Amino acid sequence: MSTNLIEIWKEIEDPNFHVTENQLHPSPKPFTVLNGSKLRSIPVPEKVDILGDGVISLGQLTTIIGQGGTGKSRVTMQIAISQILGWSMAGLKTHPEPLKHLLIGTENSIYRQKSEYRKMTQSLSPEQREQVDANMFLHVVQEMDDAFIHLGSDDIRKKWVDTFELVNPDVVYIDPYGEVHVGDINKDADVRHTLREITKVCRRFNPRTAIVIVHHGRTGRANIAQAVGWDKGNYALGSKALYSGARSQINIAPADPDDPSRIILSSGKSNDAKPFDPVGLKLDDTTMLYGIDASFDLQAWKADVDGKQLNTNFSIKEVAQQLLDKPKKNSEIHAELGGSEAGSRRSLDRILAKGKKEGYFRTEKRGYKLTKKGSDLIA
């Protein structure tokens, strides 16, 4: 009976069926394997660093990790603008030739994106602005469908593919990771699946596209301390699979709890090069660009987040007394008050920021000046 069925099937089977099936669903090829001789001689693309030495590179996955409100989105936009213009960022060199950057995500409204982009580019020459405009592409939430970027949907995944075909970027920044993640962010398998989906979409048309994932860090004093040191790999929220999948990680942390304009950038991971040293940055409210904070002291910051502030007992009244005769700059006030370099500079910066906010001091070209409220405090 079975023999008859086989013969009947052979008679009715379309001889082209297997040919068509193999064309539509070809068998997977083996992994690419090279012997030592071929590996030694095979030509490979030149390594192209976009930021620093292996911090962001073409064909690489980098993560940027930080708590909410620490300026992650602003830092990513500044990295892109700096690279296009060949400027350094946080003391890290950028690739000299302008590359194409795509910032995709729903973390910020179009109002903030437009405002900060205009401020960041307002001081540029017409030629520089034209160059940045031609190489910066920003996903904005202008229509309802723009707000959904979750990779678990076939329709949304197609929107990603169509966007990459349209822009074909050299670098893509995904902000925030939580909006594209599929499954439980605490489960390794779900994070690995999401990273595979991100890679397939982002490198469909350009296998060397650099992928930068912006993600939230753990909150609280103890977790902020993990931005540097032994526990820097534990800084990100959720599964460690994200940390494992990245070649490089940039950690962003608040440098001062009383001054949100000051942040610290550190290397959370660097597989392909020497990690860069932690650096303090301060935001310019006019240009919305970060510059290096010369007053930042890493040891004082560590002592602060560890709850061991050093020589930090300055008061608003003590500072006000130093301003009684004339306006003074930070360095002059610090020299007169004394204290160790490790602790007192950050304490003074906090007191000056607090005193200015509460109306005891104001700033002018010559430095900090006492207000009537400050004079009354001394009296």
Side-chain angles (χ1 to χ4, degrees), residues 106 139-150 156 159:
T106 57
H139 163 227
V140 297
V141 180
Q142 200 165 21
E143 300 178 5
M144 182 179 293
D145 287 348
D146 291 324
F148 305 106
I149 59 174
H150 186 264
I156 296 176
K159 288 172 70 73

Side-chain angles (χ1 to χ4, degrees), residues 318-330:
E318 286 178 310
V319 175
Q321 288 171 336
Q322 301 301 320
L323 301 176
L324 193 57
D325 55 341
K326 63 177 182 178
K328 294 176 183 174
K329 297 185 181 298
N330 299 43

Side-chain angles (χ1 to χ4, degrees), residues 47-60 79-80 82-84 87 92-96 99-101 170-173 208-212:
K47 183 174 181 286
V48 177
D49 288 325
I50 297 166
L51 177 69
D53 186 5
V55 180
I56 301 177
S57 302
L58 289 183
Q60 174 182 288
I79 289 172
S82 297
Q83 190 287 308
I84 293 168
W87 294 352
L92 302 171
K93 61 181 175 57
T94 60
H95 185 63
L99 300 173
K100 195 182 294 185
H101 299 254
D170 298 297
V171 193
V172 58
Y173 307 83
R208 300 200 71 199
T209 297
I211 301 172
V212 181

Side-chain angles (χ1 to χ4, degrees), residues 298-312:
L298 180 61
Q299 296 307 315
W301 180 84
K302 288 180 178 179
D304 195 353
V305 294
D306 287 339
K308 303 173 184 176
Q309 294 187 11
L310 309 174
N311 295 332
T312 57

Side-chain angles (χ1 to χ4, degrees), residues 194-230:
T194 304
L195 292 180
R196 285 194 295 270
E197 292 300 309
I198 289 173
T199 302
K200 285 191 290 186
V201 167
C202 295
R203 294 189 177 142
R204 179 162 183 165
F205 303 102
N206 180 0
R208 300 200 71 199
T209 297
I211 301 172
V212 181
I213 292 177
V214 183
H215 185 42
H216 288 281
R218 303 173 190 273
T219 58
R221 180 192 289 265
N223 291 316
I224 288 173
Q226 295 177 356
V228 300
W230 295 105

Side-chain angles (χ1 to χ4, degrees), residues 201-308:
V201 167
C202 295
R203 294 189 177 142
R204 179 162 183 165
F205 303 102
N206 180 0
R208 300 200 71 199
T209 297
I211 301 172
V212 181
I213 292 177
V214 183
H215 185 42
H216 288 281
R218 303 173 190 273
T219 58
R221 180 192 289 265
N223 291 316
I224 288 173
Q226 295 177 356
V228 300
W230 295 105
D231 295 322
K232 57 190 177 184
N234 193 46
Y235 195 53
L237 196 65
S239 163
K240 301 298 184 297
L242 182 61
Y243 181 80
S244 299
R247 302 298 297 174
S248 172
Q249 178 168 301
I250 301 171
N251 289 343
I252 301 178
D256 190 323
D258 300 319
D259 185 357
S261 70
R262 301 180 67 213
I263 61 174
I264 172 176
L265 249 66
S266 66
S267 175
K269 182 180 184 182
S270 182
N271 279 9
D272 301 327
K274 180 182 177 182
F276 65 89
D277 293 329
V279 58
L281 301 179
K282 185 170 177 59
L283 181 68
D284 184 319
D285 291 335
T286 303
T287 64
M288 299 308 289
L289 295 171
Y290 287 98
I292 292 179
D293 183 0
S295 69
F296 176 74
D297 186 296
L298 180 61
Q299 296 307 315
W301 180 84
K302 288 180 178 179
D304 195 353
V305 294
D306 287 339
K308 303 173 184 176

Side-chain angles (χ1 to χ4, degrees), residues 158-169 201 204-205:
K158 186 178 186 306
K159 288 172 70 73
W160 276 78
V161 171
D162 292 345
T163 301
F164 274 81
E165 185 175 19
L166 177 68
V167 178
N168 194 22
V201 167
R204 179 162 183 165
F205 303 102

